[in-house]
Amino acid sequence: MKLRVQNDRPDSKRALKLRESPAVMQPNPSERGVLAGNGLSLNLQPELLTGTPFTATAAAASNADSSEVRVSMTGASGDSNGGASSRRSRVNSHTHSHAHPHSHGHSRGQLHSNSEPELDPPDPDGDSGEPSASLTELRCLFRWIQKSLPFLVILCAKLVIQHVLGLAVGVGLLTTFLYVNKNIQTQVFLQDRHSKLRCIWLLVFLISSTLLLYYTFLSETLYFSLIFLSPTIEPLGFWEILWAVGITNFIIKFLFMGIKCLILLVPSALVTYRTQGRWLMLTEELGQVHQATAPVPLWFRYLVSYQESDGVSGLTTGVLLALFYLILKLLGLYNQRTSLLKTVRIFLAGEHTGSAATRAQCSEAGDVCPICQGEYRDPRVLICQHVFCDKCIALWFNREKSCPLCRTVITDKVYKWRDGATSPHLQIY
Ligand SMILES: [Zn+2]
Ligand SMILES: [Zn+2]
């Protein structure tokens, strides 16, 4: 068995390599290379290993002839507890005591060894003790979790049973959202071939889901949250706030998805594909602003509320927390404002990718659009001189930034909401 300690650079990590080798005393040529450089080799002699090899007390002696340090191991019973950590610290301290002279470029003749590794001064950077200590703590934590897992499962089950109605409504809303979102995207993608009937169905589905929900919980007046008022839920605790905020978030999504359905219902003779995309993008941006602002009054009210028994300190803490929340919210809204302004600018100015292609440019490109493989309709030429139909390339840039043929970057940002998608992000605060 051979233990090799490499120390190629002063700050490098020491690599420990353990492997079986019959020739204990004779290092192979490659190891000689290591020794000639900045390396150090520790040979553990199997014939000297008695008892448990690695819990043994190490007694090291340097061999001047071969520049190898042989570590003789003698068995020591009663050291089995915490053997792993003590072994590691010993090996580490041993490594440091020998590796240090090398790191300063001393010759191998100056190699010294310490016959009492346990008495080595503690490592200045302490890297030998800390990992094992934190590992033990982690192990303790893991064991605690493992022990209390059954109780945690029982607690979770109780929580689920208590809020079974809320969870069921949540799953229902999420399914509705995913279904309608996917369908709107498909209808936008189909362009002229989209089905008006399908759009009407989606609209009816959204309206009926919303009305059913609000009718079921009529007494809670959850719809007040849509217009920044507090619903009449008493008492307004944490779970009630979470419930109202979650429902409101989904309903706002539904509302703006309904508007998108209406945009799709506008006859294509009146609105071009690009104009439709701009309307969809603006709708989504406005929807996101509404989603971000709707929960503010609810959380604000929750944070400032306090018990009579809390007194002045309770009120002060509540107001402070509410102020912090408002600052956090304003910072978030400021970031959103930049995105909204950009969208409004694009919406008002309109945007066209590239410029109108001439007859000559089209024939040079082969008179066939590389995307739809048909004749050019309203051809546009990009800065890379590739020509596409206006609709085809508009559809492409709903998701991509670069030319589909040569990958030249054409736009710096993808305005993905032009494809009719609604962000699935659940705005809970
Ligand atoms: Zn085309
Ligand atoms: Zn190109």
Side-chain angles (χ1 to χ4, degrees), residues 382 384-386 388 403-408 410:
L382 303 183
C384 55
Q385 301 305 312
H386 285 125
F388 306 94
C403 167
L405 288 182
C406 65
R407 293 281 159 193
T408 305
I410 309 290

Side-chain angles (χ1 to χ4, degrees), residues 52-108:
T52 44
F54 273 111
T55 54
T57 313
S62 73
N63 189 330
D65 294 336
S66 62
S67 294
E68 285 176 1
V69 178
R70 266 179 288 148
V71 182
S72 305
M73 313 284 268
T74 49
S77 57
D79 194 20
S80 53
N81 279 345
S85 59
S86 68
R87 182 207 328 152
R88 185 181 299 140
S89 66
R90 267 173 216 161
V91 169
N92 271 357
S93 61
H94 207 81
T95 308
H96 282 285
S97 67
H98 291 114
H100 198 67
H102 278 277
S103 67
H104 291 286
H106 289 298
S107 68
R108 25 177 208 166

Side-chain angles (χ1 to χ4, degrees), residues 42 45 51 59-60 74 83 98 106 135 139-140 149 174 192 241 243-244 262 314 350 360 362 373 378 384 386 409 416:
L42 291 175
Q45 288 178 299
T74 49
H98 291 114
H106 289 298
L135 207 71
R139 212 170 290 154
C140 275
L149 195 65
L174 184 67
D192 297 339
I241 296 278
W243 160 255
L262 287 175
C362 289
Q373 297 294 315
D378 190 11
C384 55
H386 285 125
V409 176
K416 49 188 172 182

Side-chain angles (χ1 to χ4, degrees), residues 6 93 107 110 146 149 181 217 231 256 262 351 393 402 419:
Q6 279 186 319
S93 61
S107 68
Q110 282 174 284
Q146 214 175 16
L149 195 65
N181 194 20
F217 302 100
F256 283 88
L262 287 175
E351 30 99 63
I393 200 65
S402 52
D419 63 353

